[in-house]
């Protein structure tokens, strides 16, 4: 084997190793990010379950108010008092007329992880529609 | 050679993780849409058409005349309102006890919709009888 061949082999080996290490490094970072995003999704799911339990518990006791808008306002007050999980943003919006309450949950660090649920007091026997 | 192969394998795993996350986000988005549609439908039934609560969906247009006309019944089956206009009610099936209903909804299959279906357990109770609980039982893929 000539000196030139040895040099060429060394250069190719170094190039391949360097490229492999770069791919390795970026892949590890991506896997780490994916785990972080999955944890964010799980956190939001957990927060949603807690809120769902709140409105299901309320529903067991019958109407909060005859009018659905008033029931939505009371539901909003109850959900606002529910402790919030760390790292999760909670946005509660009272919809106009008798359209209910929109619950938006977002992870503070992972914008892709979010849930949006509509709660209609009329669907849970929390109002009579008067 | 080993280093090259293992890094490529790791890259494939990373790509798979990314795709898995996207699919998880899509599943949750579909769950949310179906859940909103369930809330809207059950609210309409409770407040406007309570006579339908105990009837299977195939009988709504036939027997539900006490609190709904045939056009309204068709509209309840074929879709909700606003953004959820295309969500279809595939089934509303009360059980023999009259305390529980299985609801099956489907997202649109056209215009980017996944066609995914959501199964919900609805609990009825009280006097007068109304639905008071909506529990998601699971998601099903689009029928092939």
């Amino acid at each position: 084997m000539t000196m030139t061949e040895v040099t060429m082999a060394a250069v190719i080996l170094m190039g391949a190793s360097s490229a492999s290490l770069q791919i390795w490094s970026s892949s590890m970072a991506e896997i780490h990010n994916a785990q972080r995003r999955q944890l964010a999704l799980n956190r939001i799911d957990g927060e949603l379950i807690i809120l769902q339990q709140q409105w299901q518990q309320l529903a067991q006791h019958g109407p909060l108010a005859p009018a659905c808008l008033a029931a939505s306002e009371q539901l909003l007050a109850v959900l606002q008092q529910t402790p919030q999980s760390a790292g999760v943003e909670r946005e509660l919006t009272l919809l106009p007329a008798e359209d209910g309450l929109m619950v938006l949950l977002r992870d503070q660090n992972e914008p892709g992880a979010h849930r949006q649920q509509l709660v209609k007091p009329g669907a849970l026997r929390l109002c009579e529609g008067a | 050679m080993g280093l090259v192969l293992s890094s490529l394998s790791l890259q494939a795993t990373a790509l798979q993780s990314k795709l898995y996350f996207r699919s998880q986000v899509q599943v949750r988005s579909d769950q949310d849409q179906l859940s909103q549609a369930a809330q809207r439908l059950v609210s309409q039934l409770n407040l406007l058409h309570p006579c339908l609560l105990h009837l299977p969906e195939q009988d709504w247009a036939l027997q539900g005349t006490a609190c709904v006309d045939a056009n309204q019944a068709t509209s309840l089956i074929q879709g909700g309102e606003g953004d959820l206009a295309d969500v279809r009610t595939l089934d509303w099936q009360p059980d023999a006890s009259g305390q529980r209903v299985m609801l099956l909804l489907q997202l649109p299959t056209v215009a980017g919709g996944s066609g995914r279906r959501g199964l919900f357990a609805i609990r009825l109770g009280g006097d007068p009888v109304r639905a008071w609980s909506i529990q998601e039982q699971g998601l099903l893929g689009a029928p092939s």
Side-chain angles (χ1 to χ4, degrees):
Chain A
M1 189 179 276
T2 65
M3 191 61 189
T4 312
E5 286 170 336
V6 170
T7 309
M8 285 297 290
V11 167
I12 290 169
L13 182 65
M14 278 184 65
S17 302
S18 166
S20 297
L21 284 172
Q22 275 180 20
I23 293 172
W24 183 288
S25 162
S26 65
S27 300
M28 285 303 285
E30 183 52 49
I31 288 171
H32 177 70
N33 285 340
Q35 286 172 341
R36 194 172 41 77
R37 289 192 294 248
Q38 189 60 47
L39 284 174
L41 278 182
N42 295 347
R43 258 197 309 275
I44 289 181
D45 286 348
E47 176 87 352
L48 183 60
I49 288 170
I50 290 169
L51 294 179
Q52 282 174 337
Q53 283 171 345
Q54 288 290 320
W55 68 68
Q56 288 296 348
Q57 275 177 16
L58 282 175
Q60 288 180 18
H61 304 296
L64 288 172
C68 291
L69 185 57
S72 293
E73 286 167 352
Q74 290 194 40
L75 182 61
L76 173 67
V78 171
L79 296 185
Q80 279 172 336
Q81 286 168 10
T82 308
Q84 204 161 335
S85 308
V88 178
E89 282 177 18
R90 185 194 297 168
E91 197 178 304
L92 304 171
T93 310
L94 198 60
L95 299 175
E98 297 189 338
D99 281 344
L101 194 62
M102 191 61 86
V103 177
L104 177 63
L105 302 174
R106 252 191 312 250
D107 189 86
Q108 283 173 345
N109 301 314
E110 182 50 62
H114 65 272
R115 298 295 303 264
Q116 187 170 20
Q117 292 261 312
L118 173 71
V119 197
K120 285 186 77 80
L124 303 170
R125 201 185 47 179
L126 292 172
C127 63
E128 292 154 6
Chain B
M1 190 65 177
L3 190 61
V4 174
L5 286 177
S6 64
S7 64
L8 288 176
S9 157
L10 203 61
Q11 193 181 32
T13 306
L15 190 63
Q16 211 167 20
S17 305
K18 208 174 193 171
L19 292 175
Y20 179 72
F21 176 73
R22 279 190 200 157
S23 75
Q24 290 289 299
V25 169
Q26 184 59 50
V27 164
R28 280 160 177 79
S29 167
D30 288 349
Q31 272 178 317
D32 289 349
Q33 278 189 65
L34 288 162
S35 166
Q36 288 185 29
Q39 289 270 339
R40 287 185 194 278
L41 175 68
V42 175
S43 178
Q44 282 191 43
L45 294 177
N46 262 353
L47 300 176
L48 304 175
H49 314 295
C51 68
L52 300 180
L53 289 169
H54 281 119
L55 290 177
E57 156 267 331
Q58 62 268 27
D59 292 343
W60 283 2
L62 302 174
Q63 296 178 31
T65 49
C67 66
V68 70
D69 63 36
N71 286 341
Q72 286 172 320
T74 306
S75 148
L76 286 169
I77 294 166
Q78 288 183 345
E81 50 195 48
D83 295 342
L84 303 167
D86 294 329
V87 178
R88 285 185 62 87
T89 305
L90 295 184
D91 202 6
W92 173 275
Q93 208 58 241
D95 72 0
S97 73
Q99 304 285 306
R100 193 177 152 97
V101 180
M102 295 310 287
L103 167 64
L104 184 61
L105 295 174
Q106 184 180 24
L107 292 174
T109 49
V110 292
S114 66
R116 204 169 255 136
R117 293 168 296 161
L119 188 64
F120 297 85
I122 315 291
R123 290 167 78 177
L124 307 179
D127 183 20
V129 172
R130 295 288 181 271
W132 63 274
S133 165
I134 303 173
Q135 298 275 351
E136 190 199 302
Q137 301 295 292
L139 287 187
L140 310 163
S144 52

